[in-house]
Amino acid sequence: MAGATRSKLVERETTGTDAVAAIAVGLSAVLFALSIAALFEQITISDPVAGIPTVALLGGLLVLLGGAVISFGVGSRLGLVETEPSSSAGLIAAGVAGVSWFAIAGGVASQTLELGTVGGVVGGVVVGGATFAATVYAREDVGSTVPIGALPLLTGLVFLTGVIGPEWIWDLGWEQSASLTAEFVIPVATLFSALLAGWAAAKAYAGFGARGRHTGAYTLVYLNAVSIVAFLFILVAFVVIKGIPGLLTGVQFGAGVGPETTLFGFTFTWPLYVPFVMNGVALLNDFQGVLPAIVGTLWLVVGSVLFAVPLGIGAAVFLTEYAERGRFTQVVEVATNGLWSTPSIVFGLFGFAFLIPRFGNTKSLLAGMLTLAFMLLPLVVITSREAMLAVPDEYRDASAALGVSKWQTVRSVVLPAALPGVVTGVILGVGRIAGETAPILLTMAGGTFVPGAQTVDVIGGFQFTATPPFVANPELLQATSALPYQLFALITAGVGLGDSVADPEGFRWATALVLLVVVLSFYAIGIVTRYYFRSKLRYE
């Protein structure tokens, strides 16, 4: 209608009580972030934050958070806050509150009151059961806030009173020496309390009822999603910060500073010289590097993909388009799923026992390629098959109606439509095999750490022979190194570099950083390829 205007049917005004609930949700998010930072030692509980002791800061914020949640619930019960609570908090809230207070009461009874394990269990059952019953039978506003809000309130008071401080240690009393320290307990207790209190505060902010339960669930999902992304970024940032100094050791800029390189008959020098990624380890090197391991990793992944992807896609085409659905296809499906979940050390033992004796009885790059290809093959088959099954049957029927043969339909219709899903499976598989250590240890690595190792030249190693198979490549049959195994040798196995590098610790972290960059590069190439094929499907 001309001149018609739009207006909201219901407009909920923000009140002071809504602001209290919103502040509680914000406090839970802040505490959540601080606890994650403390877990990753980005902040330490023994040092102050903005001039305030970390434990005192966490304790104070937890007390404020717990008080806000409890006051909102009590205010709703007394009619001071306008809400629409249900008659009961529900079994989920009761179960969460009961289990939480069972753990707290059991720990206090067994450790603080020194009642032993039996006393701790009895105390936990009594307190947890009472909390569960009270939460179930109480109205939702009180049942969802008071037992949950009491958790951060009690935790904050424990921190503020010094019951658990920076020097606190809990000896578990097991046969092996084991204990829980404050560096772990304080962030975990803060994280757990903030998560539950944020859930209760979100329910309160939405006024309880169905809307409140949905809001609380969304808050938990968002906090968990943020934590997963935060863990990823913190992990990457931690490796980058630790690895950058070693990676940049001896870096030079300028014309002609890099090593001479011959490519397609032309010899040139690089304007940027990064010794860590351009050198190997040799006695005469001014700066040591991991170039042989980088090249070995690249060839390892490329060879595995070249072997596994065509074979896996071909098997998926046969199982999906040609084989009758029956016991055979079911057995193959179970077998491929089982192979994909098989530990990598089993594939390594297979390569060591079956492949190495057939390649001169020595470890080689080819044996490593084939071993990792067998690891990649099941995932390629599974994802390719699922991607082809997801192609609508109408595509096949339309192609058949035009008189196109079965193979032409598969090649021109089914495979292009399924290609983004196939690429996704390859990305996942490459991400796994690029970081595997056990198969490389058993089939390819020539030693724990070989100074002076040469970069493998696969392309230049091909030779024509007068005897079958008329082509040979000695480079594929020699042992070489790869980044995952070299990192294992440098860190896990405790193999040092002695006086060959000025900073062995920095060398190890730089190796980890290069491995991370290589793996992420494979992911990036796969993602770009997937989006390319998706765009072609969209516009063709």
Side-chain angles (χ1 to χ4, degrees):
M1 293 173 55
T5 59
R6 296 183 179 180
S7 61
K8 296 181 180 179
L9 296 178
V10 178
E11 185 172 355
R12 185 171 178 263
E13 297 182 357
T14 302
T15 63
T17 54
D18 292 333
V20 171
I23 291 173
V25 175
L27 276 177
S28 67
V30 171
L31 285 165
F32 194 80
L34 289 175
S35 60
I36 291 177
L39 275 175
F40 281 90
E41 298 181 354
Q42 301 304 304
I43 60 175
T44 57
I45 61 173
S46 58
D47 296 331
V49 176
I52 304 174
T54 302
V55 178
L57 175 63
L58 295 176
L61 292 177
L62 284 170
V63 169
L64 290 176
L65 177 59
V69 172
I70 292 174
S71 62
F72 199 100
V74 173
S76 172
R77 188 66 181 87
L78 297 177
L80 302 177
V81 180
E82 184 179 352
T83 58
E84 298 178 356
S86 302
S87 59
S88 172
L91 292 177
I92 295 179
V96 170
V99 171
S100 303
W101 280 102
F102 169 82
I104 293 174
V108 171
S110 63
Q111 299 299 318
T112 306
L113 302 180
E114 299 181 352
L115 298 179
T117 303
V118 177
V121 172
V122 172
V125 169
V126 171
V127 175
T131 304
F132 179 87
T135 305
V136 166
Y137 290 107
R139 205 171 74 167
E140 185 184 15
D141 46 8
V142 176
S144 294
T145 56
V146 174
I148 301 297
L151 287 172
L153 182 61
L154 176 62
T155 305
L157 291 175
V158 168
F159 293 168
L160 291 176
T161 55
V163 176
I164 296 180
E167 306 299 328
W168 179 83
I169 296 178
W170 180 9
D171 187 2
L172 298 177
W174 297 345
E175 293 182 2
Q176 294 82 11
S177 178
S179 60
L180 295 176
T181 62
E183 286 81 1
F184 175 77
V185 171
I186 290 177
V188 169
T190 304
L191 181 68
F192 183 74
S193 301
L195 191 64
L196 293 182
W199 172 52
K203 292 177 66 176
Y205 178 75
F208 303 107
R211 184 168 177 263
R213 288 189 290 273
H214 291 163
T215 304
Y218 289 149
T219 301
L220 284 180
V221 171
Y222 291 148
L223 287 177
N224 281 304
V226 169
S227 66
I228 293 172
V229 175
F231 284 139
L232 173 63
F233 278 99
I234 291 174
L235 175 63
V236 173
F238 187 80
V239 175
V240 170
I241 293 172
K242 290 282 190 178
I244 282 293
L247 181 64
L248 299 182
T249 300
V251 172
Q252 299 178 22
F253 297 91
V257 298
E260 288 190 355
T261 303
T262 300
L263 186 64
F264 300 115
F266 297 96
T267 301
F268 60 94
T269 56
W270 294 93
L272 173 64
Y273 178 46
V274 185
F276 190 82
V277 297
M278 292 183 174
N279 289 348
V281 175
L283 296 176
L284 300 180
N285 284 350
D286 294 331
F287 302 100
Q288 310 298 345
V290 293
L291 178 61
I294 295 174
V295 176
T297 303
L298 295 176
W299 278 117
L300 194 66
V301 173
V302 170
S304 303
V305 169
L306 290 178
F307 177 82
V309 171
L311 190 60
I313 294 178
V317 168
F318 172 76
L319 293 172
T320 306
E321 303 297 329
Y322 292 96
E324 293 291 336
R325 179 68 180 176
R327 183 169 298 179
F328 172 74
T329 56
Q330 292 175 354
V331 170
V332 172
E333 184 176 351
V334 172
T336 52
N337 284 305
L339 284 174
W340 174 239
S341 60
T342 301
S344 60
I345 187 66
V346 176
F347 285 97
L349 289 172
F350 165 77
F352 181 78
F354 182 79
L355 297 176
I356 287 182
R358 287 156 178 79
F359 297 135
N361 209 27
T362 59
K363 296 180 180 180
S364 63
L365 176 61
L366 182 59
M369 286 180 176
L370 293 177
T371 302
L372 294 185
F374 286 127
M375 288 183 59
L376 178 61
L377 184 59
L379 184 64
V380 175
V381 174
I382 293 170
T383 55
S384 300
R385 191 159 177 260
E386 293 296 328
M388 293 177 193
L389 289 174
V391 176
D393 289 336
E394 288 79 1
Y395 289 13
R396 299 176 177 84
D397 296 339
S399 179
L402 295 175
V404 179
S405 66
K406 180 74 171 181
W407 168 241
Q408 289 177 327
T409 300
V410 172
R411 184 187 62 188
S412 303
V413 177
V414 177
L415 282 178
L419 207 51
V422 174
V423 173
T424 301
V426 175
I427 293 172
L428 295 175
V430 167
R432 178 186 178 184
I433 66 172
E436 287 294 345
T437 303
I440 300 173
L441 167 67
L442 295 173
T443 61
M444 192 184 81
T448 46
F449 194 81
V450 183
Q454 298 297 317
T455 301
V456 60
D457 183 13
V458 174
I459 296 179
F462 283 102
Q463 303 173 0
F464 292 101
T465 62
T467 57
F470 305 108
V471 177
N473 192 332
E475 295 291 323
L476 290 174
L477 298 178
Q478 72 176 8
T480 185
S481 184
L483 286 170
Y485 175 73
Q486 184 156 315
L487 186 61
F488 162 79
L490 292 173
I491 299 176
T492 308
V495 178
L497 294 171
D499 298 329
S500 60
V501 295
D503 182 16
E505 187 69 19
F507 191 94
R508 298 181 182 102
W509 279 109
T511 305
L513 175 58
V514 172
L515 174 60
L516 181 64
V517 171
V518 170
V519 173
L520 293 180
S521 298
F522 282 122
Y523 275 118
I525 293 172
I527 291 172
V528 170
T529 305
R530 181 178 63 189
Y531 277 107
Y532 168 75
F533 286 116
R534 281 184 176 177
S535 63
K536 289 193 66 176
L537 288 175
R538 187 178 299 117
Y539 294 111
E540 287 183 356

